[in-house]
Amino acid sequence: MTVTFLASAHLMALDFQQRWNNWNINQISQQDPVVSGSTKYELLDGSFFIRLVTGHGPPIHPPQPLSALVKGMDGEINRTVSVTNRIIFGAKQDEPLISTASNPPDTSFAIKLLVSLFALFFSIDAVTFEKETGVLRAMLALPVRRWQIFLSKLAAAFSGLLLSFTIAYLSEIAFLYFAHGLVTNGENLLRALLIYCTAALYGLIFVFIGLFISTIAAQTKIAVTRALLVWVSIVFVLPNASALLAEMFFPTQSYNHFNVRLQEARQQIRQTAVPADPTDQQGGLQILKQTMPRIYEVERRLTNEYLTREKRQIHYARLFAVLSPSGSLSFGLSDLAGTGVGAYDSYLDLLRAGQDKMIDAFTRQLDLSYQAGVKLVQEAESVAGRQRDQESLGASLRSAAMSLLSLLSFAVLCGWAAYRGFERCDMR
Amino acid sequence: MFNILFRQEIREIFSSFIFLPALVVLTILVTLSAHIQARWYHNLVEDYTLRQNINQAVSNETVIVLSRPLPPLLPFFNGVYDSLPGEFKLQNDPVLANPLSGDVAPLSWLFSKIDLGFIVGVLMTLIAILLAHNAVVNEKERGTFRLILAGPVPRRMVLAAKLACVFSLVLSTAFCTASLYILVVLVSSGGTVALNAANFSALALYFLACLLVLIVFTALSIAISVSLRHSSIALGVCLSIWGTSVLVWPSFAPYLANSFLSVPLREAAQREIALKEGELSRAELTEHRRLAEALKVQNVGVESAWSQYLELRRKWLERRHVEIGRLSELWKRQIRVQRRFSNGVASLSPYLIFNEALGIVCDTGLESYENFLVSVEQYGQNEFQPASFLHLSQQKSWLKSNGAGSPFQPRSFQTRSVTLSRRLKAVAWPISILFIEGIILLVISFFRFEYYDIRL
């Protein structure tokens, strides 16, 4: 487990460093001058001109430091985004490099797989082995309460898991701290501690599941096989099913569809506002002053609709994820690391606020003089181009609350089931 | 005798608790995932039609948007289709193809879609391991192994019966799973998934890859079962190997490759290109200014000036193409080298080789994506830029009847078609590796079983 966690930490730290360097270069390039110019070929019997413009691309938002621990949705934010009267998403930054057909090997992945598997293996033969060897009958015949025996088995399995996980996790945090200079400030260390506690709770759920299966199975190998089937269902099938259910019941339109609707709406408005006399400049300007605010408002409305639907789908996926401890874990850990649903919501809200600012500025610009209008737009651009901050710990905890509550409920439910199974175990 | 042994093995497996519950879980999962994949593909087809309409509307002599066609077998194996940009914008100036955004899909970072490749590669291989891991070691634990080997039945027949039993169950389950999946996809897709002769032959290759990967994992379990004495240890070893090759390695391999052969991300590469573009633009504008002044002084007519302007423009476009193309080609070469290295690292896992084979067969892998990129570049170089330049040369803005020339209509974009023979050639190496691995493991099982000393 320690080797896997260390390997995961090293690879994800390198990935973070690469994304961070990429973001730095993007920030530097925002200061690069835009090269533009035109040349007119003025001849006796006619003229023509050439115009060339080359500039830098839109900005990217910075990666979150704890994405080295839990990448979450941080990869989705790793793309250029231009905020004007529209929000224009660019291509993802690391697409050319890595075959992204698989999940990133971050700590969440390692915990989801290894902690659950180890928890099952530590607990799966706690009862069946003693059943097979006949020791359990002798033990139950002693004047010891069943709950005490159950508790001792639970403590043994859980402490074994916790010891190995703690060593692995501490090694990982120490590695990130000393070798890569990540997870350095107090807040990030606290987040790391919360991630540890959540992972421990997750491990406890699987210890209970292992004990329960061990109680109802007659032989160890039957118990192991059942445990594996349950593990595959909980760790792979159910979490993916939650995302699929969210996509099925709360579909979002694709980004292209959204762009088509924007284009159609703009064209409709422009078609209704054709000047009677195309050569009348004043008339044309008046019509422009009337149509542009309408176009901006339509863009604002459609963008809000699109982003609201995206957010709704993600929120419902998180809700459906409570069907499975692994689903809750994925969402919970990403929220605690500041790379989850809460952080993504804040990012979309930031973009939306930027768009609102720009649209207000463009609308007011129509009634101002040229210089005043340009100044207003520049002020709005500096606000709209604000980079996202790391989500506060309080906000992360609020966002992770549902997932943590779900894990706690699973722990109570599985613990109760395991205990009742053991309590009612008929040794005849 | 073989039939008796075979039937006995079948009875044992059916009386265990693995096969039937696994079958039930598979059936539910296959139906659900096939339906969802079919609906997703249906939406993609609609989206693609929409995109084609948008692209036609926005394309002109300076900008054209090219979309990657939808692979018809996408619902069967998603590969990297979703992860990589499927649209590129070609501009005459600058001369590069730039990817467009692709869809916004935050959930895909947490959960990947379940397709038939996942069901076979992850779930069915696990079922194969659970069925096969105690084929021999179970008998060793019970003590019946010595009795069987001491009897008049040849050892090869005993092993053949065990192998035949496990293989027949696993492979028939795979066949039923695949058939159910295909049926549900065809029904749920509303006609968008069409199975013509070419697709059927691709599906046949798909099924062959599925069979081979299942044979590899089954043979591995049997080889371990023959070699060990306790079923719990055999299961532990099988699961460790399965977990490493199916779960851990696919996630670690690409990042490991990146750590050894790191390539700058897009922004780093784009900045270098943008700076070079700026430098070339400044230089070109300077030359245009000089030429404009010279022509004005010489009182040259507009038509003659236009020809000289076009000549200068062509020279600079070629220079941009060479210099910016060199930078871009350097970056792309680094990416190609990294990808090949990543493929090499990934080939340690039969599951990743299986995925590679499916990606080739379904046109959703990295190779078909690179094929698309090459087609985009060639289209840009051979079709769009010459047509754009020709159209530009006809746009004489000083004439009142500007634009009276022919409308800008380049040839439509086509990716290089993949014939069956090309597909067979491309899929030969992963299929061969799976085949060789399967044979090696079966040979190991055979020799271990054949020379097992019952006195020990």
Side-chain angles (χ1 to χ4, degrees):
Chain A
M1 204 192 271
T2 307
V3 169
T4 311
F5 273 67
L6 284 174
S8 157
H10 176 64
L11 294 176
M12 295 313 295
L14 286 178
D15 175 66
F16 170 78
Q17 207 54 55
Q18 207 171 29
R19 286 185 289 131
W20 183 260
N21 293 342
N22 195 55
W23 173 75
N24 271 326
I25 292 172
N26 173 261
Q27 292 304 294
I28 294 170
S29 74
Q30 299 304 305
Q31 311 304 323
D32 288 341
V34 173
V35 173
S36 76
S38 57
T39 299
K40 194 170 183 184
Y41 283 76
E42 207 142 8
L43 292 320
L44 284 177
D45 51 344
S47 64
F48 55 89
F49 67 96
I50 173 174
R51 183 171 162 71
L52 294 176
V53 180
T54 56
H56 53 75
I60 308 170
H61 286 259
Q64 294 300 293
L66 279 185
S67 62
L69 206 55
V70 181
K71 193 164 182 181
M73 294 179 185
D74 214 48
E76 184 57 38
I77 298 175
N78 189 25
R79 52 165 99 218
T80 57
V81 59
S82 161
V83 180
T84 55
N85 51 306
R86 290 174 51 199
I87 298 172
I88 303 173
F89 292 104
K92 281 182 268 194
Q93 291 294 299
D94 55 0
E95 271 162 5
L97 257 54
I98 289 169
S99 159
T100 49
S102 49
N103 295 326
D106 57 3
T107 304
S108 171
F109 170 80
I111 290 171
K112 194 166 79 162
L113 287 188
L114 295 181
V115 169
S116 52
L117 213 49
F118 275 59
L120 281 175
F121 282 138
F122 282 148
S123 59
I124 201 66
D125 64 350
V127 179
T128 48
F129 182 71
E130 291 178 358
K131 275 188 207 174
E132 285 168 343
T133 52
V135 170
L136 189 65
R137 276 194 188 187
M139 205 185 298
L140 293 177
L142 293 172
V144 182
R145 292 203 184 270
R146 285 203 181 196
W147 67 263
Q148 287 170 331
I149 301 173
F150 177 79
L151 209 58
S152 61
K153 291 184 183 302
L154 170 66
F158 189 57
S159 57
L161 172 73
L162 207 60
L163 182 65
S164 43
F165 173 58
T166 305
I167 292 171
Y169 190 73
L170 279 179
S171 310
E172 183 184 24
I173 298 298
F175 178 75
L176 286 174
Y177 188 97
F178 292 111
H180 290 281
L182 297 168
V183 198
T184 45
N185 66 32
E187 188 179 302
N188 284 342
L189 284 169
L190 192 54
R191 286 176 188 267
L193 180 64
L194 288 168
I195 289 171
Y196 169 82
C197 297
T198 309
L201 183 60
Y202 176 73
L204 183 63
I205 293 169
F206 278 88
V207 168
F208 283 138
I209 291 173
L211 283 172
F212 175 70
I213 294 174
S214 190
T215 308
I216 60 174
Q219 296 174 0
T220 304
K221 46 187 187 184
I222 298 175
V224 166
T225 317
R226 283 185 190 166
L228 279 171
L229 287 174
V230 164
W231 179 76
V232 165
S233 308
I234 292 177
V235 172
F236 293 106
V237 176
L238 287 176
N240 289 337
S242 70
L244 292 174
L245 284 174
E247 284 170 21
M248 210 158 75
F249 291 114
F250 302 96
T252 55
Q253 55 183 316
S254 68
Y255 186 59
N256 294 309
H257 216 123
F258 158 65
N259 282 328
V260 165
R261 287 185 67 201
L262 272 180
Q263 211 166 340
E264 280 172 354
R266 266 189 245 123
Q267 266 172 5
Q268 247 176 10
I269 293 172
R270 286 201 179 108
Q271 272 163 11
T272 59
V274 176
D277 180 6
T279 58
D280 177 14
Q281 279 192 351
Q282 276 295 92
L285 200 61
Q286 269 306 105
I287 285 174
L288 196 71
K289 281 190 179 180
Q290 284 167 9
T291 55
M292 289 315 294
R294 286 169 61 198
I295 289 175
Y296 294 146
E297 279 313 307
V298 153
E299 284 173 342
R300 192 199 319 246
R301 183 174 55 81
L302 290 177
T303 306
N304 280 347
E305 257 177 47
Y306 171 70
L307 294 180
T308 304
R309 283 174 117 176
E310 281 288 333
K311 284 169 80 170
R312 190 177 60 163
Q313 189 188 75
I314 299 168
H315 282 258
Y316 273 100
R318 187 170 58 174
L319 183 64
F320 291 141
V322 303
L323 294 171
S324 150
S326 290
S328 301
L329 180 84
S330 296
F331 279 109
L333 290 188
S334 58
D335 277 323
L336 288 172
T339 57
V341 173
Y344 193 70
D345 275 356
S346 311
Y347 163 73
L348 292 182
D349 289 341
L350 182 68
L351 297 180
R352 221 190 325 219
Q355 185 198 25
D356 286 344
K357 196 84 190 160
M358 292 301 298
I359 285 175
D360 290 342
F362 285 140
T363 310
R364 283 169 55 197
Q365 185 192 30
L366 294 168
D367 296 324
L368 297 176
S369 67
Y370 175 74
Q371 275 166 347
V374 164
K375 191 176 170 205
L376 184 69
V377 167
Q378 278 172 351
E379 277 167 11
E381 272 171 0
S382 65
V383 172
R386 197 163 51 92
Q387 300 264 278
R388 65 173 183 149
D389 299 318
Q390 188 179 9
E391 196 185 33
S392 68
L393 185 57
S396 296
L397 277 169
R398 277 194 296 277
S399 191
M402 188 179 358
S403 306
L404 295 178
L405 211 59
S406 157
L407 285 173
L408 206 57
S409 311
F410 270 113
V412 167
L413 187 67
C414 295
W416 178 83
Y419 171 67
R420 290 297 284 172
F422 190 77
E423 187 76 17
R424 289 172 170 226
C425 188
D426 190 344
M427 289 315 301
R428 292 168 300 172
Chain B
M1 194 66 213
F2 177 84
N3 284 341
I4 294 169
L5 289 169
F6 180 78
R7 273 192 294 232
Q8 188 187 338
E9 294 293 332
I10 292 273
R11 256 197 306 268
E12 257 192 58
I13 287 182
F14 268 97
S15 64
S16 79
F17 38 81
I18 302 169
F19 189 64
L20 291 173
L23 212 58
V24 168
V25 167
L26 262 184
T27 309
I28 297 169
L29 189 62
V30 162
T31 316
L32 193 64
S33 60
H35 174 75
I36 289 167
Q37 286 281 343
R39 296 312 305 166
W40 173 65
Y41 186 74
H42 178 84
N43 292 341
L44 275 184
V45 166
E46 282 182 350
D47 198 54
Y48 179 74
T49 314
L50 207 60
R51 272 188 287 144
Q52 292 296 85
N53 294 338
I54 305 173
N55 295 343
Q56 267 175 11
V58 304
S59 295
N60 54 44
E61 66 275 8
T62 55
V63 167
I64 195 165
V65 177
L66 305 177
S67 303
R68 185 178 172 195
L70 281 175
L73 297 183
L74 182 62
F76 299 93
F77 183 68
N78 302 150
V80 295
Y81 183 83
D82 248 3
S83 319
L84 297 170
E87 273 190 344
F88 279 82
K89 185 159 76 169
L90 289 178
Q91 288 175 266
N92 202 5
D93 195 1
V95 298
L96 282 182
N98 291 310
L100 294 180
S101 72
D103 213 352
V104 173
L107 282 177
S108 62
W109 287 92
L110 295 177
F111 309 109
S112 42
K113 279 196 191 63
I114 296 180
D115 53 19
L116 185 59
F118 178 91
I119 290 171
V120 171
V122 175
L123 300 180
M124 288 207 63
T125 50
L126 179 63
I127 291 170
I129 280 176
L130 291 177
L131 288 177
H133 79 277
N134 61 356
V136 177
V137 76
N138 207 17
E139 306 222 2
K140 287 184 196 176
E141 277 185 333
R142 283 198 303 229
T144 52
F145 193 54
R146 286 189 181 184
L147 291 172
I148 290 171
L149 294 185
V153 182
R155 288 194 183 197
R156 286 172 209 179
M157 196 179 289
V158 175
L159 181 62
K162 289 182 183 295
L163 284 173
C165 167
V166 176
F167 280 139
S168 61
L169 278 174
V170 166
L171 300 182
S172 56
T173 309
F175 180 75
C176 295
T177 302
S179 307
L180 178 64
Y181 194 97
I182 293 170
L183 185 65
V184 174
V185 163
L186 287 175
V187 166
S188 304
S189 67
T192 43
V193 175
L195 289 187
N196 52 28
N199 292 343
F200 258 122
S201 52
L203 277 179
L205 284 173
Y206 189 114
F207 191 60
L208 176 65
C210 292
L211 293 185
L212 284 173
V213 79
L214 289 172
I215 287 171
V216 165
F217 279 94
T218 310
L220 171 73
S221 307
I222 291 193
I224 291 170
S225 185
V226 170
S227 308
L228 297 175
R229 292 176 193 277
H230 298 286
S231 64
S232 52
I233 299 175
L235 181 61
V237 171
C238 288
L239 282 177
S240 305
I241 296 174
W242 175 83
T244 307
S245 63
V246 171
L247 301 176
V248 175
W249 198 246
S251 287
F252 276 77
Y255 285 80
L256 209 58
N258 188 40
S259 71
F260 285 113
L261 274 182
S262 180
V263 177
L265 295 187
R266 190 183 296 281
E267 199 58 24
Q270 293 285 49
R271 183 168 186 245
E272 224 182 307
I273 289 170
L275 289 173
K276 180 53 97 177
E277 270 175 24
E279 190 187 302
L280 291 172
S281 295
R282 263 187 236 108
E284 186 180 351
L285 282 170
T286 308
E287 272 211 38
H288 277 289
R289 271 184 214 116
R290 276 199 214 119
L291 179 64
E293 280 165 19
L295 292 174
K296 191 173 177 181
V297 161
Q298 289 162 21
N299 284 330
V300 170
V302 72
E303 288 284 349
S304 171
W306 180 249
S307 314
Q308 292 189 54
Y309 156 77
L310 285 177
E311 197 47 46
L312 186 62
R313 194 83 180 93
R314 189 200 306 275
K315 187 186 97 179
W316 276 99
L317 280 174
E318 276 169 15
R319 189 173 161 184
R320 275 170 192 274
H321 186 72
V322 165
E323 293 195 26
I324 293 173
R326 196 184 310 134
L327 289 174
S328 167
E329 188 52 38
L330 184 65
W331 187 50
K332 284 176 197 166
R333 199 178 320 131
Q334 287 176 314
I335 292 171
R336 273 198 300 270
V337 168
Q338 193 205 60
R339 276 208 186 123
R340 269 189 216 123
F341 181 65
S342 179
N343 270 354
V345 167
S347 62
L348 292 172
S349 159
Y351 173 68
L352 287 177
I353 297 175
F354 168 65
N355 276 355
E356 181 72 29
L358 294 190
I360 293 168
V361 162
C362 299
D363 274 341
T364 54
L366 281 173
E367 188 167 316
S368 74
Y369 182 71
E370 280 174 15
N371 193 26
F372 166 64
L373 286 183
V374 166
S375 303
V376 165
E377 274 167 36
Q378 283 178 350
Y379 181 85
Q381 225 171 306
N382 303 333
E383 185 60 37
F384 173 66
Q385 276 154 29
S388 167
F389 193 80
L390 182 64
H391 195 261
L392 168 71
S393 63
Q394 292 164 353
Q395 300 300 304
K396 298 175 180 176
S397 56
W398 63 92
L399 296 174
K400 286 215 185 319
S401 58
N402 181 32
S406 54
F408 180 69
Q409 278 178 345
R411 196 169 43 87
S412 60
F413 171 66
Q414 305 264 342
T415 47
R416 291 194 299 198
S417 62
V418 182
T419 56
L420 180 62
S421 59
R422 252 192 98 188
R423 214 188 289 250
L424 280 170
K425 227 165 133 183
V427 87
W429 76 265
I431 295 271
S432 310
I433 290 179
L434 286 175
F435 184 73
I436 290 168
E437 282 176 357
I439 295 288
I440 289 173
L441 290 165
L442 284 172
V443 165
I444 291 172
S445 312
F446 172 76
F447 276 111
R448 295 286 300 177
F449 196 86
E450 188 73 11
Y451 297 108
Y452 180 77
D453 193 342
I454 60 171
R455 291 168 302 177
L456 295 172

